[in-house]
Amino acid sequence: MTPPISRTRDEFIAYMGQALEAQGLPPIAGRMLGLLIFDGAPRSFSDLATELEVSRGSISANARQLLARGAIVKQNRPGDRQDYFCVAEQSLDQILIDLIARMTATSEAVRGFAEALPSDEGARRRLCGLADFYAAMAGGVTQALQRLGMRR
């Protein structure tokens, strides 16, 4: 790998750690996902721990989170006792599906608070506006998911 590609790879992996941390996941999970996306090939449990300079326990814990979210899949190879991980084919779709669910849940929760207030209360109008914002965002992400699905 040439130095510019290697540098871009390292920066991308670090960025993914920060990006997923902002979404509530541990940075190691983001770094794992970034490495798997960039390299495009299945990586063994041991390779991930060595490459990311973290413990096997950390890889195990973060792999479970990524597996549960559908972002990665685990593979086994005949005659090899190690687990291998790669990006799930639909992982980006799953990220959008999770985002839609979170925005929809937030919209519904905020609307519930708003409906508990008198209709002439200014806080009710503001809360309804916030609920509408989250509902609109969920709708926009749903449209994006549909458009991306049609391009395949």
Side-chain angles (χ1 to χ4, degrees), residues 3 17 23 27 33 43 64 89 91 108 126 130 138 141 150:
Q23 297 175 29
L33 187 58
R43 299 292 294 265
R64 279 194 301 274
E89 209 165 292
S91 68
E108 291 169 357
R126 290 188 297 277
L130 183 60
V141 175
M150 290 189 308

Side-chain angles (χ1 to χ4, degrees), residues 42-102:
R43 299 292 294 265
S44 74
F45 195 89
S46 297
D47 287 345
L48 288 168
T50 300
E51 179 81 30
L52 297 174
E53 299 178 341
V54 298
S55 70
R56 291 175 56 86
S58 183
I59 294 297
S60 178
N62 287 282
R64 279 194 301 274
Q65 288 192 39
L66 292 171
L67 287 164
R69 289 179 177 253
I72 64 172
V73 294
K74 182 167 60 169
Q75 299 177 338
N76 299 81
R77 295 180 180 170
D80 190 341
R81 292 176 38 177
Q82 286 199 71
D83 291 327
Y84 290 81
F85 300 97
C86 64
V87 175
E89 209 165 292
Q90 299 298 319
S91 68
L92 298 177
D93 289 355
Q94 191 59 50
I95 290 169
L96 293 178
I97 290 166
D98 291 347
L99 183 59
I100 292 165
R102 286 194 309 272

Side-chain angles (χ1 to χ4, degrees), residues 86-142:
C86 64
V87 175
E89 209 165 292
Q90 299 298 319
S91 68
L92 298 177
D93 289 355
Q94 191 59 50
I95 290 169
L96 293 178
I97 290 166
D98 291 347
L99 183 59
I100 292 165
R102 286 194 309 272
M103 287 184 187
T104 301
T106 301
S107 174
E108 291 169 357
V110 171
R111 191 161 312 281
F113 288 111
E115 290 172 356
L117 298 171
S119 60
D120 64 336
E121 177 64 34
R124 179 181 177 132
R125 286 189 302 279
R126 290 188 297 277
L127 292 179
C128 283
L130 183 60
D132 290 345
F133 167 81
Y134 278 106
M137 292 299 294
V141 175
T142 299

